[in-house]
Amino acid sequence: DAGITQSPRYKITETGRQVTLMCHQTWSHSYMFWYRQDLGHGLRLIYYSAAADITDKGEVPDGYVVSRSKTENFPLTLESATRSQTSVYFCASTITRTDTQYFGPGTRLTVL
Amino acid sequence: AQTVTQSQPEMSVQEAETVTLSCTYDTSENNYYLFWYKQPPSRQMILVIRQEAYKQQNATENRFSVNFQKAAKSFSLKISDSQLGDTAMYFCAFGSNFGNEKLTFGTGTRLTIIP
């Protein structure tokens, strides 16, 4: 049971480049989320999705784009990376609105 | 909007001792959910314990228990018989009943268990 996976685990890119972080879950959970983790801020929600083709903004959506064409995948794209987007990114999923969220292993992204 | 405050950035305790991590939150809702997540050096976010606000009984999971004080909006985590493997960042999180899919996290407490 693979659960929820993220790729890549580490990524270094340059300012202005497009980067896509992948998230895949094998549980058929309806809800999926993207968070970023920064020192002093805990985890902050970037975007979430309630089902395939349904997405909504979280607390810090600027500079990010998401899509969800299949239930199991929820990619996060930085269209033009900036240094302020250097962070650790977590994907999570849950089966219903009131169930516990389960997290992927995270992706450490560095923008030079 | 809800806020979650963890006022202890760092804590340390001797192995086998008991430690309590504090969490307070602010909300106008009556029904909601509270969580403690553990993040060890591996960076994986692991659920430690979950509490539903409508339940008066404090949740427990083996050595982990909470002290949920709804009126005071306090949700502390007690770790008994602490082990070296408990060394981690601990995050308190709030889930609204109106949108539990969106969690609000505190800034975390770094806990070190000293051998």
Side-chain angles (χ1 to χ4, degrees):
Chain A
D1 184 356
I4 183 165
T5 57
Q6 295 183 234
S7 62
R9 295 293 311 278
Y10 300 89
K11 177 73 176 179
I12 300 174
T13 190
E14 295 177 339
T15 302
R17 291 191 180 268
Q18 182 179 80
V19 177
T20 296
L21 309 183
M22 304 302 294
C23 178
H24 175 79
Q25 51 103 357
T26 59
W27 294 313
S28 299
H29 283 175
S30 297
Y31 291 86
M32 296 187 75
F33 311 84
W34 276 107
Y35 294 90
R36 60 177 288 172
Q37 183 179 20
D38 305 290
L39 280 174
H41 288 281
L43 277 77
R44 291 181 292 174
L45 182 66
I46 303 171
Y47 269 96
Y48 72 100
S49 169
D53 298 321
I54 301 175
T55 62
D56 204 352
K57 295 179 180 179
E59 181 184 354
V60 288
D62 293 343
Y64 302 95
V65 175
V66 293
S67 62
R68 195 166 176 208
S69 57
K70 293 184 178 181
T71 300
E72 61 266 30
N73 296 325
F74 191 39
L76 175 74
T77 298
L78 289 67
E79 292 189 307
S80 179
T82 65
R83 289 193 182 90
S84 65
Q85 293 176 311
T86 292
S87 187
V88 178
Y89 291 85
F90 285 96
C91 180
S93 71
T94 184
I95 192 165
T96 70
R97 294 175 67 245
T98 57
D99 273 293
T100 299
Q101 289 188 23
Y102 293 94
F103 286 79
T107 294
R108 181 179 293 279
L109 175 68
T110 301
V111 182
L112 301 177
Chain B
Q2 288 80 16
T3 59
V4 177
T5 301
Q6 293 180 250
S7 58
Q8 305 152 312
E10 294 188 19
M11 296 185 71
S12 61
V13 66
Q14 292 289 135
E15 190 177 6
E17 291 185 348
T18 295
V19 61
T20 298
L21 309 183
S22 301
C23 173
T24 59
Y25 56 93
D26 186 26
T27 184
S28 58
E29 298 177 22
N30 188 48
N31 292 319
Y32 46 86
Y33 304 83
L34 296 164
F35 306 85
W36 279 99
Y37 281 91
K38 169 185 177 181
Q39 186 180 40
S42 65
R43 206 170 64 206
Q44 179 74 49
M45 293 288 287
I46 303 165
L47 176 72
V48 175
I49 206 162
R50 167 192 167 112
Q51 173 82 42
E52 285 84 358
Y54 65 85
K55 290 185 178 179
Q56 292 188 340
Q57 187 173 6
N58 289 326
T60 62
E61 286 289 343
N62 300 315
R63 298 182 295 107
F64 299 87
S65 61
V66 298
N67 183 7
F68 173 48
Q69 300 290 328
K70 191 172 183 181
K73 297 178 183 175
S74 171
F75 183 59
S76 61
L77 174 70
K78 185 173 82 170
I79 305 174
S80 303
D81 186 26
S82 57
Q83 302 175 359
L84 296 179
D86 296 333
T87 292
M89 281 288 286
Y90 286 82
F91 291 95
C92 179
F94 175 98
S96 167
N97 194 46
F98 295 105
N100 183 52
E101 68 273 13
K102 294 182 283 185
L103 294 180
T104 300
F105 284 84
T107 53
T109 295
R110 183 175 301 280
L111 176 65
T112 301
I113 308 301
I114 302 167

